[in-house]
Amino acid sequence: MAPELQSPPITWPILAWLTVALAGAFLPVGAMLLFANGSTPAMIVFSAGPIMAVGLMGAGMIAAAASGRFWNGVILALLVGSCLTVIALGLGMPFLSHPSSIGIAFAAASISFAARGALFARSVGVKGWLVAVFVVAGEAAILITAWAEPGALPDWLLALLPAQWASIAIQAALTGTGTFAASSALIALGGTAAATLVVAELWPRRWPYAIMFSAWIGLSALVYHHPGPPMSVAEISPTFATPSPFVPER
């Protein structure tokens, strides 16, 4: 039997959902507004991928862990992704040439992050959302460091992070390179989600963890050897000759 989400400290539900709002909405929106100020469309896209990945992770993982419900995390993460996309378009990001690609990327990332949050709720109980907060903070810090200082972190470390997989998939969709270009990241997100949900479903049995960690390492190797399209500003700039329909031409 899974630990029941009962009798938490009275302030924890409030703190948990405030953290969901902070990590999933306020911080990503603030970062997007900050980086978009005076930026080119290419720079907006270059920053939007990691920002959206962190937003989906914060909303999906922490919400699922706080509520103990997998689908709560999925729905909130998809909502955050949709809102951040609209904001990015309004700030000057070119209109998506393949909207289905971003939908697939958001769905894969949301399911993967929510699955981990649901496992934290099952395995740790009312403290699961705190574990989710630490995981989100750690992966976000590494992802932001890699974005701000390309080459500062080893590729093998980035390949281990589901947040990086989500960033690859989202950015490929935003730049128009499509689903196929980020297929390894999407497969990794889907595979780890499935393995994580198996562990959550079979909890408290511990042997499924071997399946989850084996899947994680194997899928990380897949992303390491097939990392997807390069994502420097110089390389994505030629893609954006068409202005966003949400921003009038000057």
Side-chain angles (χ1 to χ4, degrees):
M1 295 292 292
E4 295 184 0
L5 299 178
Q6 293 180 350
S7 303
I10 191 168
T11 58
W12 276 26
I14 298 173
L15 289 174
W17 291 106
L18 285 176
T19 305
V20 171
L22 181 66
F26 293 113
L27 289 180
V29 170
M32 196 167 285
L33 292 172
L34 176 64
F35 288 120
N37 186 25
S39 298
T40 63
M43 190 62 188
I44 293 173
V45 172
F46 184 59
S47 62
I51 290 172
M52 289 181 181
V54 171
L56 265 68
M57 179 171 58
M61 193 184 302
I62 301 174
S67 65
R69 298 181 183 276
F70 166 71
W71 286 109
N72 285 355
V74 173
I75 292 170
L76 278 177
L78 289 173
L79 180 61
V80 164
S82 300
C83 292
L84 290 176
T85 301
V86 172
I87 291 171
L89 290 169
L91 292 172
M93 185 180 75
F95 189 70
L96 303 174
S97 56
H98 301 286
S100 60
S101 295
I102 194 68
I104 293 171
F106 282 166
S110 299
I111 291 171
S112 180
F113 294 141
R116 293 166 72 189
L119 176 59
F120 296 149
R122 280 290 186 97
S123 58
V124 189
V126 296
K127 297 180 181 179
W129 72 273
L130 290 174
V131 177
V133 169
F134 285 114
V135 171
V136 169
E139 290 199 30
I142 295 174
L143 196 62
I144 292 170
T145 300
W147 178 87
E149 299 183 30
L153 299 174
D155 292 342
W156 64 263
L157 175 61
L158 295 176
L160 290 170
L161 301 181
Q164 172 71 357
W165 307 344
S167 180
I168 292 171
I170 292 169
Q171 212 154 18
L174 295 178
T175 57
T177 50
T179 303
F180 181 76
S183 57
S184 60
L186 291 171
I187 291 170
L189 289 168
T192 52
T196 303
L197 288 173
V198 167
V199 176
E201 183 66 26
L202 295 179
W203 178 266
R205 299 178 182 89
R206 301 304 177 91
W207 63 265
Y209 275 102
I211 297 175
M212 184 180 71
F213 286 119
S214 297
W216 173 45
I217 296 300
L219 292 168
S220 296
L222 173 66
V223 175
Y224 178 77
H225 290 290
H226 302 280
M231 289 298 169
S232 70
V233 175
E235 287 162 324
I236 67 176
S237 293
T239 309
F240 303 114
T242 305
S244 169
F246 288 78
V247 178
E249 295 186 13
R250 298 177 180 176

